[in-house]
Amino acid sequence: MADRDGLIWLDGEMVPWREAKVHVLTHTLHYGMGVFEGVRAYDAEQGTSIFRLDAHTQRLLNSAKIMNMKMPYDKATLDEAQRAAVRENNLKSAYIRPMAFYGAEGMGLRADNLKVHVMVAAWEWGAYMGEENLTKGIKIATSSYTRHHVNVTMTKAKSNGQYMNSMLALQEAIGNGCHEALLLDVDGYVSEGSGENFFMVKEGVLYTPELTSCLDGITRKTIMQLAKELGIEVREKRITRDEVYICDEAFFTGTAAEVTPIRMLDNREIGCGSRGPITEKLQSLYFDIVHGRSPQHMNWLTQVAN
Ligand code: PMP
């Protein structure tokens, strides 16, 4: 990953990819206090465009506020850094990773001289769980790891340290022959995947967990709006794992995972055991929108070209 050509935006400048380095005493590396985003740019009809840039940058700023990190750049600068990271690396489509982190100015939990640094990298990244799983669907398992409690790490922030829990859950799921984990909250209700929000369909109604313990996903919000536009009723509620066993369709959403159908949970087939019709409809509309093929959703796309 580190050894390639290209440029990374670091603290206001474009730096050669191989030189975008930090010191081993970088504070965030030690304690995990940092915030980041995962954003995608698509090869859209009108030229390479970032999907919902405004929402992602706003969430990054909100995450920093929650963690009490002083963001040294305004929203316009952060938006432009993301466009530039795609544009200046000549990428047609890209995964974009902005992150704000504490530097090596001090060490220890009491360090009070820390500076917030910001980086934005962009690279080509295909379907997160493989192209064929976008149609076939994935196999998942309920995790033995519990999702964060809101008063342990605040779940409205997309913060670095939270992903230790995600990685433990994902490693366990993969070790058990699955593609992804389904994490439950502290009360035992469905929360989310290691990096995705969860949806299920039952008798034509779309259900998703309330936001108490899961990330306020931008794809989640998008899919909820699209469902409403298609006349599909959407309900946010507590969901139990056995409700999922007997639902008609289930899928994950996320910037990386896009709309990924779930075909099996805990060795029980979900619905027909492959992508369901409502999942397919929402997924297909999502892909039309991100590729600039839906005139009424063009305001969600920001071109990277100047
Ligand atoms: N939950 C978690 C834990 C995530 O990491 C992500 C990916 N950012 C999501 C949900 C989905 O969020 P989004 O749709 O904004 O990418």
Side-chain angles (χ1 to χ4, degrees):
M1 202 61 208
D3 186 23
R4 57 167 79 183
D5 295 332
L7 297 166
I8 290 179
W9 191 95
L10 180 60
D11 289 338
E13 284 173 50
M14 280 295 178
V15 177
W17 196 285
R18 293 180 184 85
E19 290 166 31
K21 291 183 179 171
V22 292
H23 197 270
V24 289
L25 293 178
T26 295
H27 201 273
T28 300
L29 190 61
H30 292 251
Y31 304 115
M33 175 75 105
V35 296
F36 70 100
E37 269 304 313
V39 190
R40 265 192 199 264
Y42 287 90
D43 186 6
E45 304 265 299
Q46 80 280 17
T48 298
S49 302
I50 301 177
F51 183 61
R52 303 204 68 173
L53 174 62
D54 179 67
H56 281 284
T57 307
Q58 191 53 56
R59 189 171 63 186
L60 182 71
L61 292 167
N62 290 348
S63 297
K65 184 172 186 181
I66 291 170
M67 292 297 152
N68 216 5
M69 294 179 82
K70 286 215 167 11
M71 182 64 81
Y73 302 102
D74 63 13
K75 185 164 175 301
T77 306
L78 295 168
D79 281 347
E80 177 48 30
Q82 293 169 82
R83 292 175 65 226
V86 178
R87 188 175 59 236
E88 297 196 23
N89 285 296
N90 300 314
L91 297 163
K92 274 199 172 332
S93 64
Y95 183 78
I96 309 165
R97 166 53 52 82
M99 179 173 74
F101 59 100
Y102 286 125
E105 297 83 10
M107 191 40 74
L109 301 182
R110 290 170 189 273
D112 58 4
N113 58 341
L114 298 171
K115 270 176 64 180
V116 177
H117 300 267
V118 180
M119 52 77 54
V120 182
W123 62 91
E124 229 163 273
W125 207 10
Y128 182 59
M129 295 194 233
E131 198 66 43
E132 63 163 26
N133 285 325
L134 289 172
T135 41
K136 229 175 93 187
I138 58 167
K139 229 174 114 172
I140 66 171
T142 304
S143 186
S144 72
Y145 295 98
T146 301
R147 196 62 182 152
H148 299 292
H149 182 264
V150 62
N151 211 23
V152 174
T153 64
M154 292 164 283
T155 56
K156 297 288 167 289
K158 190 170 165 69
S159 60
N160 295 54
Q162 292 200 349
Y163 285 82
M164 225 180 85
N165 172 256
S166 286
M167 285 190 68
L168 287 168
L170 183 60
Q171 279 172 10
E172 178 188 60
I174 290 172
N176 290 332
C178 290
H179 299 93
E180 182 53 283
L182 182 65
L183 290 110
L184 308 181
D185 65 18
V186 286
D187 296 315
Y189 294 91
V190 172
S191 175
E192 60 181 343
S194 67
E196 307 85 15
N197 289 110
F198 175 82
F199 283 89
M200 68 173 205
V201 177
K202 180 78 177 175
E203 288 160 6
V205 178
L206 187 62
Y207 296 92
T208 190
E210 291 163 351
L211 286 176
T212 322
S213 67
C214 59
L215 187 72
D216 188 358
I218 290 160
T219 322
R220 176 185 183 275
K221 221 176 282 173
T222 302
I223 289 298
M224 287 169 77
Q225 179 175 330
L226 298 182
K228 284 176 196 159
E229 286 175 18
L230 292 172
I232 300 164
E233 190 185 335
V234 183
R235 285 190 212 155
E236 291 175 83
K237 74 171 207 79
R238 278 180 147 188
I239 296 171
T240 61
R241 63 195 278 189
D242 52 358
E243 279 182 277
V244 183
Y245 294 158
I246 55 171
C247 74
D248 302 324
E249 303 178 32
F251 60 89
F252 275 136
T253 62
T255 298
E258 297 163 313
V259 178
T260 298
I262 297 165
R263 68 179 149 90
M264 199 174 262
L265 169 62
D266 300 340
N267 292 317
R268 285 130 171 120
E269 212 164 73
I270 303 296
C272 60
S274 64
R275 180 177 62 185
I278 290 181
T279 307
E280 185 173 357
K281 220 178 193 174
L282 289 166
Q283 188 192 49
S284 141
L285 181 54
Y286 184 78
F287 282 128
D288 279 346
I289 291 168
V290 298
H291 290 105
R293 298 190 292 259
S294 174
Q296 75 267 38
H297 300 102
M298 293 302 280
N299 58 334
W300 279 341
L301 294 174
T302 304
Q303 277 180 262
V304 301
N306 277 324

